[in-house]
Every structure is written in structure tokens, then in C-alpha cells.
């Protein structure tokens, strides 16, 4: 009887002790839950101080992206800089903050092939990060037949060149509209065409006419939008082919790209950063 009673009291004491401990734990958990509700971050002093620090202002920069054909890529420049990197360098030298976001130039690209490229999400993302978009396109549309002539093919006729200008100019309208829609805040710069075959008999005259017509149509298209700029290059190469053209007699060399970059920066002025 005594052993049974002792066991009962012992069991009762243990239960009471465990209940006390559970109540204490529950009380402490409730206090913690009130002070720091579930899902709410626990701030230490450093985090609290950082949370009230002012957000630094983002400085305006002239981020550059080049898109288009081999001139946009910089083909012919032994340094690989082309006019895109050279433009960034000149901007920095004059005191602007600038960097090259990306160079999307592709050798042999035509206006027709550039249109679907502008629908790609990756391309659009790059263009949206840019304050200045440098565009070069149209040369392959006009001069692909002339390149065949250099390789022993027949000389293109004036009618064939004019047809190329007409068709490519319609594509150019779509390209410009897409670029403006993708990034309406960027300065869109078109590097117009020159005649790389101005010193070749038989192609000089009709080539000059085709280039002049193309540049005129491109100017009309660009003038329909704000924040656009057309950079002339025709006069640079007309009488300076040996000085500014690379060994392939089509693309600019380093000095040629440098001259184009200087004109780009001159055309930009300070309007983009004001």
C-alpha cells in the first residue's frame, strides 16, 4: 500500500514538473512571437542602419550598343575596336561616362535578316540597356552584286542597284520603327553609306547614284522620329579610299573607323547627357 501511494505521488510530481516546463516554454515562445512575428525579419543594429540609408542616385551614362552589319562589328580594323569602341573612348576622353554594352554586328547582314533579329528577347534586352544605339545596315543590300563583279562576275546595272535601294529602304523603315519601339529613350544613330568602289571604272557613277539615293531615303525615315541622328560618311571615303579603306577595299581601316567615330560624337554633342 505504501509503495503504491509513493509511486502515485512520484508520478504526479513528474507530471506537474513537465507541465510547468511546457508552460514556461510556451510563455517564452509567445513572447518571442509577439516581439518577432513569424515571417518578419529580425533586424540587428547594422541592418537597421542600412535600411534607412539613402539610395544612391544612378548617374546618367552614355552606354553604347552597335547593331547591324560588318561595319557595326568593326571588320577591317586591325585593333578590333571599330567605330563602336572608338566612340566610347572619345566620349570618355571628353569627360562623359560611357561603356560598350554589346556589339551585335554580324558580317554579311542585310536589312531583311536584321528585321527578325530585332524580335529576339536577348537582342531587345541589350538594346534596352543602351543610351546610344549605333546602326549600320544597307551596304550588303546594295553592294552584294558589286562584290560578285569584283570576283569576275557581271557588272550590276543601274536598274538592279535601284531595285536593291527600293526594296532595302522598305526594310529600313521597319528596322528603325522596331528600334524606336524597343528603346524610345535611346539616341538612335545611323551610320550612312559610302561607295567603296568609287575608284572603279564602270561602277563609280551608278554606285554613287545608288548610295546618294539610299542615304536620302534613310534620312527621310530617320527624320520621322525623335532622338535620331544620321552620320554622313560619303565624303570621307569618296576621295580617301586608299587612306581610309582596309585591304579588302570595302571595309574601313582603323583610321576610317576613327573618322566615323569622331563624327558620331560630334553629332551627339551634349544633347544625350543634358
Amino acid at each position: 500500500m505504501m509503495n503504491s501511494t509513493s509511486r502515485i505521488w512520484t508520478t504526479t510530481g513528474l507530471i506537474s514538473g513537465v507541465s510547468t516546463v511546457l508552460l514556461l516554454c510556451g510563455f517564452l515562445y509567445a513572447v518571442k512571437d509577439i516581439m518577432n512575428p513569424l515571417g518578419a525579419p529580425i533586424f540587428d543594429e547594422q541592418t537597421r542602419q542600412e535600411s534607412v540609408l539613402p539610395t544612391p542616385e544612378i548617374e546618367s551614362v552614355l552606354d553604347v550598343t552597335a547593331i547591324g552589319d560588318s561595319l557595326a562589328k568593326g571588320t577591317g580594323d586591325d585593333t578590333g575596336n571599330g567605330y563602336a569602341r572608338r566612340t566610347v573612348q572619345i566620349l570618355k576622353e571628353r569627360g562623359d561616362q560611357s561603356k560598350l554594352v554589346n556589339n551585335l554586328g554580324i558580317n554579311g547582314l542585310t536589312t531583311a535578316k536584321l528585321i527578325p533579329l530585332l524580335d529576339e528577347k536577348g537582342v531587345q534586352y541589350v538594346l534596352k540597356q543602351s543610351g546610344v544605339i549605333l546602326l549600320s545596315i544597307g551596304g550588303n543590300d546594295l553592294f552584294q552584286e558589286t562584290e560578285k563583279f569584283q570576283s569576275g562576275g557581271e557588272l550590276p546595272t543601274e536598274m538592279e542597284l535601284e531595285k536593291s535601294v527600293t526594296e532595302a529602304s522598305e526594310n529600313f523603315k521597319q528596322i528603325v520603327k522596331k528600334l524606336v519601339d524597343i528603346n524610345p529613350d535611346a539616341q538612335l544613330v545611323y551610320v550612312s553609306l559610302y561607295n567603296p568602289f568609287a575608284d572603279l571604272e564602270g561602277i563609280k557613277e551608278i554606285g554613287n547614284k545608288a548610295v546618294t539615293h539610299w542615304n536620302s531615303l534613310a534620312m527621310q525615315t530617320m527624320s520621322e522620329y525623335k532622338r535620331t541622328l544620321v552620320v554622313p560618311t560619303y565624303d570621307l571615303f569618296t576621295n580617301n579610299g586608299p587612306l581610309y579603306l582596309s585591304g579588302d577595299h570595302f571595309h574601313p581601316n582603323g583610321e576610317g573607323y576613327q573618322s566615323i567615330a569622331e563624327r558620331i560624337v560630334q553629332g551627339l554633342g551634349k544633347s544625350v547627357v543634358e
Side-chain angles (χ1 to χ4, degrees):
M1 183 72 176
M2 290 293 295
N3 290 337
S4 176
T5 303
S6 176
R7 282 196 297 271
I8 291 172
W9 282 109
T10 300
T11 301
T12 302
L14 288 172
I15 293 173
S16 177
V18 170
S19 298
T20 302
V21 171
L22 290 174
L23 287 171
L24 180 60
C25 290
F27 175 78
L28 292 176
Y29 182 84
V31 171
K32 179 182 178 182
D33 193 52
I34 293 172
M35 298 298 294
N36 296 291
L38 183 64
I42 301 176
F43 289 97
D44 56 22
E45 187 60 29
Q46 179 180 357
T47 305
R48 193 180 302 278
Q49 290 176 357
E50 291 175 352
S51 68
V52 298
L53 289 177
T55 302
E57 295 184 1
I58 300 176
E59 297 183 7
S60 176
V61 295
L62 294 174
D63 296 338
V64 173
T65 288
I67 190 168
D69 52 28
S70 52
L71 263 73
K73 184 177 181 179
T75 302
D77 188 347
D78 293 337
T79 67
N81 290 327
Y83 61 65
R85 290 189 180 277
R86 292 175 183 273
T87 295
V88 171
Q89 182 179 357
I90 297 173
L91 286 170
K92 288 181 177 180
E93 289 174 353
R94 79 174 191 180
D96 292 312
Q97 185 177 352
S98 179
K99 69 175 182 290
L100 182 65
V101 178
N102 209 326
N103 190 322
L104 304 175
I106 301 175
N107 286 338
L109 195 68
T110 61
T111 55
K113 293 179 179 179
L114 178 55
I115 293 173
L117 190 66
L118 295 176
D119 293 328
E120 295 184 7
K121 298 300 182 182
V123 172
Q124 292 182 359
Y125 176 81
V126 170
L127 293 172
K128 289 177 181 179
Q129 312 307 309
S130 309
V132 178
I133 298 174
L134 304 179
L135 170 66
S136 173
I137 199 69
N140 293 311
D141 294 82
L142 270 65
F143 295 120
Q144 54 188 352
E145 295 299 327
T146 305
E147 290 178 350
K148 294 179 183 179
F149 167 69
Q150 278 192 304
S151 302
E154 293 184 2
L155 184 69
T157 65
E158 184 173 351
M159 184 176 297
E160 288 174 333
L161 285 178
E162 183 61 27
K163 180 181 178 182
S164 297
V165 169
T166 302
E167 293 176 352
S169 64
E170 292 301 314
N171 294 334
F172 185 76
K173 292 178 182 179
Q174 295 185 53
I175 291 168
V176 174
K177 185 179 185 304
K178 282 179 175 287
L179 287 170
V180 172
D181 289 343
I182 292 169
N183 189 346
D185 297 323
Q187 180 81 41
L188 177 59
V189 180
Y190 176 62
V191 179
S192 61
L193 299 187
Y194 58 88
N195 182 9
F197 308 108
D199 59 346
L200 295 180
E201 292 297 330
I203 192 64
K204 177 179 179 179
E205 184 177 354
I206 62 174
N208 286 344
K209 286 183 179 179
V211 169
T212 300
H213 189 196
W214 167 268
N215 287 338
S216 176
L217 294 175
M219 177 74 77
Q220 292 178 23
T221 298
M222 294 286 285
S223 65
E224 296 176 4
Y225 300 91
K226 297 179 179 179
R227 300 184 65 76
T228 60
L229 171 67
V230 177
V231 175
T233 64
Y234 181 87
D235 60 308
L236 286 175
F237 295 88
T238 297
N239 297 313
N240 296 305
L243 178 62
Y244 288 145
L245 288 178
S246 63
D248 63 11
H249 204 84
F250 187 81
H251 299 96
N253 57 21
E255 292 185 12
Y257 280 117
Q258 182 68 22
S259 296
I260 295 174
E262 290 173 356
R263 285 199 169 177
I264 291 173
V265 175
Q266 183 181 13
L268 287 175
K270 291 289 184 179
S271 59
V272 181
V273 294
E274 288 177 352

